[in-house]
Amino acid sequence: MGLFSKRTKSEPAAVQTAPASSVSHPFSAISSYTPLSNCELELYDSLREAVPVIDAAISKLVRLIGTFEVECGDQRMTEALRRFLDEVPVGGASRGVFQYIYTYFDQLLTYGTAVGEIVLNGDRSTVAALYNASLKDIEIVRGESPLDVSVYRRGLSSERRACENQDLIHLSFLNPKAGENYGSSIMRSLPFVSSILLKVFQSVGQNFERVGNVRFAVTYKPSGNTSSSLGKQRAQEIAAEWSKAMRDTTRVCDFVSVGDVEIKAIGADNQILDCDVPIRHITEQIVSKLSVPPFMLGLSWSTTERMSTQQADILMSELSYYRTLLTPVIKQICETYLRLRGSFEPVEVIWSDINLQDETELAAARLQNAQAEKLESEIESGGET
């Protein structure tokens, strides 16, 4: 039965890519078992949680992708389409296509692969919602042809079931390898350098616990005529009084002892290794992979105005590339809505300018081109006379 065929009986809307319901039993690890490929997904989640620079860079890229507007040949359908994009339910608690696209883009950057679904209502007369599918709940399987890729839903057992309406599901791959049906995460080359950075942070924390939290060594040196039993008793008394003085943090306590007693701070003479240089080197490697200018991440590295302009240009080219990946997804959503409304008008996605600086530079470039054309025309007219 076709996608747009009429049905006499109304059926409830169902999300194809949602995980199957599980049966509760004591052995939850068996029910939650997934193939080994999910370990890579957990790795990228851990990287974002452990390294704030990575999480901040991805979050800023999602925000910088900007907004868009859609247009079609029919003005009436354009207004209806825009109202639908502003009000369409997304998941279980959000509304608006922008929330859906931002989540979709965040998944694409983090894992290299993003999956979403257009959910129809019960009688399949219009789009009821948009759903961001979790990669842990689905499998992407290549068909008989290398050009045929299908989405399967994972069940409770090793069995998998193909989603019936593949035309309602859209996939996006970031930097896919030739012949592969999955993309590459933007964090693909970062686990090694990130592990070194975490080791440095862990070592710094341990050093401050050892050196920053002052500990004292109290040494009692008995005289030569002191017996061993008396020396032991006096050492115990000194230890008890010292512990009492250190425990009382509400007021200043003095420690008084008899005999040759020496007190030293443990670790006070040790010097903590300078970690600024290795941390900066590692952070530079991370930032270079994420293609986000350092000043946008709060990193006060020395830079020139020309260098910052070049970094901004590189960021603009990255965002333009990401927009080309998201545009087909937006068109699929809009065209599905229009087809269900009986309209076959083509849809155009118009992205907003990324910032005001680009608009100023484009205006200055147009002014210089106009001045050059005017000067060339004056030279040509003068030569003819």
Side-chain angles (χ1 to χ4, degrees):
M1 185 174 293
L3 173 60
F4 303 110
S5 60
K6 296 183 179 179
R7 294 190 177 186
T8 57
K9 184 179 179 180
S10 177
E11 296 179 359
V15 180
Q16 305 175 79
T17 52
S21 59
S22 59
V23 180
S24 177
H25 58 77
F27 306 98
S28 59
I30 299 177
S31 297
S32 61
Y33 170 79
T34 52
L36 190 61
S37 59
N38 282 344
C39 295
E40 188 176 6
L41 307 181
E42 296 177 0
L43 170 63
Y44 295 143
D45 288 335
S46 299
L47 280 178
R48 291 192 60 172
E49 183 178 357
V51 185
V53 173
I54 297 177
D55 185 64
I58 294 178
S59 299
K60 282 182 170 55
L61 286 175
V62 172
R63 295 185 181 96
L64 288 173
I65 199 63
T67 59
F68 58 87
E69 291 185 355
V70 294
E71 291 184 358
C72 62
D74 189 347
Q75 183 63 28
R76 184 177 59 87
M77 296 303 299
T78 298
E79 295 176 359
L81 179 59
R82 291 178 178 177
R83 287 195 302 270
F84 158 74
L85 294 179
D86 291 337
E87 300 173 358
V88 59
V90 177
S94 303
R95 284 185 176 273
V97 71
F98 292 113
Q99 182 63 40
Y100 175 77
I101 292 298
Y102 293 156
T103 304
Y104 189 87
F105 183 43
D106 186 279
Q107 186 185 53
L108 181 64
L109 293 177
T110 304
Y111 308 117
T113 303
V115 183
E117 181 184 351
I118 304 171
V119 184
L120 304 183
N121 62 349
D123 56 2
R124 305 171 68 85
S125 60
T126 187
V127 177
L130 301 175
Y131 177 73
N132 295 102
S134 173
L135 297 180
K136 297 180 180 179
D137 302 330
I138 64 169
E139 290 184 13
I140 302 173
V141 181
R142 181 187 301 172
E144 297 179 358
S145 170
L147 302 178
D148 183 17
V149 178
S150 301
V151 176
Y152 283 67
R153 183 181 63 180
R154 290 174 179 163
L156 299 179
S157 59
S158 58
E159 298 180 357
R160 59 188 183 187
R161 179 181 298 180
C163 298
E164 296 180 0
N165 298 317
Q166 296 289 332
D167 49 354
L168 295 178
I169 302 172
H170 37 257
L171 298 171
S172 295
F173 301 136
L174 179 64
N175 301 325
K177 291 183 178 180
E180 298 292 343
N181 55 351
Y182 57 89
S184 300
S185 170
I186 196 175
M187 298 182 288
R188 183 184 177 192
S189 59
L190 297 183
F192 175 70
V193 293
S194 299
S195 64
I196 299 177
L197 182 64
L198 295 177
K199 290 178 182 178
V200 174
F201 287 157
Q202 182 70 15
S203 300
V204 170
Q206 291 177 350
N207 289 335
F208 270 94
E209 286 184 358
R210 295 172 179 173
V211 181
N213 187 8
V214 182
R215 295 174 174 84
F216 297 93
V218 182
T219 305
Y220 168 61
K221 300 178 181 179
S223 57
N225 56 0
T226 303
S227 63
S228 59
S229 59
L230 182 60
K232 182 178 180 180
Q233 180 181 359
R234 188 168 297 177
Q236 292 176 350
E237 293 176 354
I238 293 174
E241 292 298 324
W242 179 259
S243 299
K244 180 180 178 181
M246 295 301 296
R247 283 196 304 268
D248 193 353
T249 58
T250 59
R251 58 189 178 88
V252 178
C253 298
D254 296 327
F255 173 71
V256 181
S257 63
V258 179
D260 189 0
V261 179
E262 181 182 6
I263 301 175
K264 288 185 178 181
I266 300 176
D269 299 333
N270 295 336
Q271 187 176 10
I272 299 178
L273 294 176
D274 184 13
C275 60
D276 292 339
V277 175
I279 287 179
R280 172 162 180 174
H281 287 174
I282 298 173
T283 308
E284 287 176 349
Q285 299 291 325
I286 296 176
V287 172
S288 64
K289 182 64 173 65
L290 300 175
S291 301
V292 176
F295 60 84
M296 295 186 63
L297 300 174
L299 301 175
S300 57
W301 295 345
S302 59
T303 182
T304 61
E305 182 179 357
R306 182 174 180 84
M307 184 182 298
S308 61
T309 303
Q310 293 175 348
Q311 292 175 347
D313 292 340
I314 294 174
L315 178 61
M316 302 310 169
S317 64
E318 291 288 332
L319 294 175
S320 300
Y321 168 69
Y322 293 142
R323 286 180 170 184
T324 60
L325 299 178
L326 298 176
T327 299
V329 177
I330 302 171
K331 283 188 174 182
Q332 182 182 0
I333 297 172
C334 297
E335 291 176 353
T336 302
Y337 173 79
L338 292 177
R339 301 302 179 264
L340 293 172
R341 295 287 298 270
S343 175
F344 292 87
E345 294 287 342
V347 177
E348 181 181 4
V349 180
I350 304 174
W351 288 92
S352 61
D353 296 327
I354 295 177
N355 57 16
L356 187 59
Q357 181 179 359
D358 281 354
E359 193 69 18
T360 304
E361 293 179 355
L362 291 175
R366 288 195 297 268
L367 176 61
Q368 293 176 359
N369 291 334
Q371 292 174 348
E373 292 177 359
K374 181 180 179 182
L375 182 59
E376 290 176 357
S377 61
E378 291 177 354
I379 294 176
E380 292 178 356
S381 61
E384 292 177 356
T385 57

